[in-house]
Amino acid sequence: MIITKTPFRVSFCGGGSDMADFYREYGGCVLSTTINRYMYLTVHPYFDENKTALKYSQNEIVDNIGDIRHSIFHCVLNEQKISGVEISSTADVPSGTGLGSSSSFTVGLIHTLACYRGKYMSKSRLAQEACKVEIEKLGAPIGKQDQYAAAFGGLNYITFHKDDTVCVEPVITKGDTLRRLQENLVMFYTGLTHDANKILAEQKKNIIDKADKFRNLVCMCELAKDMKKSLEENDIADFGAILNESWMKKRELAGNITNPQIDELYETALHEGAGGGKLLGAGGGGFLLFYCPREKQTHLQEKLGLRIFPFKFEHDGSSVVHIGDKYWEDA
């Protein structure tokens, strides 16, 4: 048996600029971190070598991998012509909550199957292959940041160049700065889930058709650069303000990124001591992240009436956590 774990990510600034319709014209950038919440995947030969078993939110057992219903499993297993296996996925966080779960799953699956075949795959290659599956082959209206964040891990400034190349640059800051930043960040689960693809499809259309939405993304890229500079100078005093300004720009990119309930929660948080924040992911639900002094976080939780979702930064990216006996080598 092989087991991998692939982290979820928190995107601070620049989200949306990783979509090809934008970065191919202007160039995009995102500042994000991965957290210690993971997508776990296991693979081993199935007892009945003529069947393939998949376990996720549903169970599938098929005679022919062409009959697999799950789109990502279907695409990857058929492309690699892998059958006769049992693959299970388990996640610390449900899908549709804004932490990049779909891309963490795709990166993790590609990584797991590469190990199963005895192949090494670099972090860059993992991200590239995951992007090909989700964006090119399955046509998801998403960007590239989640795949690169999940593969590489850590606090990174990710640049998306006009020629489709991607550069992942670790943000260099003092350990004490990183500790203070983590202490002053608090995440709440709204209890709402969303259809990210639907929201992103509207956002993609708006980027193409509406000049003001394009300008918003340009501003968000500049804010990501400002955030990177502040962290490198070990000055996080303006981190909340940058988050707030970026969220004000992002919420205008599509009509269903936010809603009255989320807006009310956000305004309450600002009134009760948060310096700024954002709804993570495409929008519409999931997790609210705030930059709020640690000593005010308990009071903030009481006012919002939401559950705190504890997390820590992680730095490993997609990794193998267990390799059992290699009995498949002689198969």
Side-chain angles (χ1 to χ4, degrees), residues 25-156:
E25 183 170 345
Y26 183 82
C29 58
V30 169
L31 198 148
S32 68
T33 187
T34 47
I35 62 174
N36 63 337
R37 294 292 182 265
Y38 301 95
M39 175 71 67
Y40 297 90
L41 282 116
T42 68
V43 61
H44 64 88
Y46 191 45
F47 179 76
D48 184 344
E49 62 183 17
N50 295 313
K51 297 181 182 295
T52 299
L54 307 173
K55 298 178 180 179
Y56 48 104
S57 58
Q58 302 177 34
N59 291 337
E60 294 189 53
I61 300 177
V62 297
D63 296 315
N64 188 325
I65 55 176
D67 295 331
I68 294 172
R69 297 189 304 274
H70 188 286
S71 61
I72 298 173
F73 270 132
H74 182 279
C75 181
V76 174
L77 289 175
N78 278 275
E79 183 180 70
Q80 298 190 19
K81 296 180 173 57
I82 294 177
S83 60
V85 295
E86 180 175 358
I87 306 175
S88 301
S89 71
T90 305
D92 287 332
V93 181
S95 61
T97 52
L99 297 182
S101 58
S102 175
S103 295
S104 292
F105 174 85
T106 307
V107 169
L109 178 61
I110 293 170
H111 195 182
T112 304
L113 294 178
C115 293
Y116 182 77
R117 296 163 56 212
K119 305 291 185 181
Y120 168 75
M121 193 170 284
S122 69
K123 292 181 181 296
S124 180
R125 178 76 182 281
L126 277 176
Q128 291 171 12
E129 292 302 314
C131 287
K132 286 181 182 178
V133 169
E134 293 192 273
I135 301 170
E136 296 179 21
K137 293 170 183 170
L138 296 179
I142 62 174
K144 292 183 174 181
Q145 68 156 316
D146 292 355
Q147 299 87 347
Y148 279 85
F152 278 82
L155 177 65
N156 297 306

Side-chain angles (χ1 to χ4, degrees), residues 210-278:
K210 300 181 180 181
D212 60 324
K213 311 303 182 187
F214 192 93
R215 286 194 296 270
N216 276 21
L217 281 174
V218 172
C219 291
M220 290 165 65
C221 285
E222 295 306 311
L223 290 168
K225 295 173 185 176
D226 292 342
M227 184 176 282
K228 173 176 179 286
K229 184 173 183 292
S230 294
L231 287 169
E232 290 174 337
E233 294 176 350
N234 298 289
D235 180 7
I236 58 173
D238 60 351
F239 196 91
I242 295 174
L243 272 181
N244 180 65
E245 189 174 352
S246 181
W247 170 241
M248 292 299 108
K249 296 293 183 184
K250 179 179 177 178
R251 67 196 300 277
E252 297 174 354
L253 294 177
N256 48 5
I257 285 179
T258 188
N259 58 52
Q261 182 179 349
I262 291 168
D263 289 343
E264 183 177 354
L265 290 168
Y266 189 86
E267 290 303 318
T268 299
L270 294 187
H271 186 264
E272 300 299 334
K278 61 172 296 188

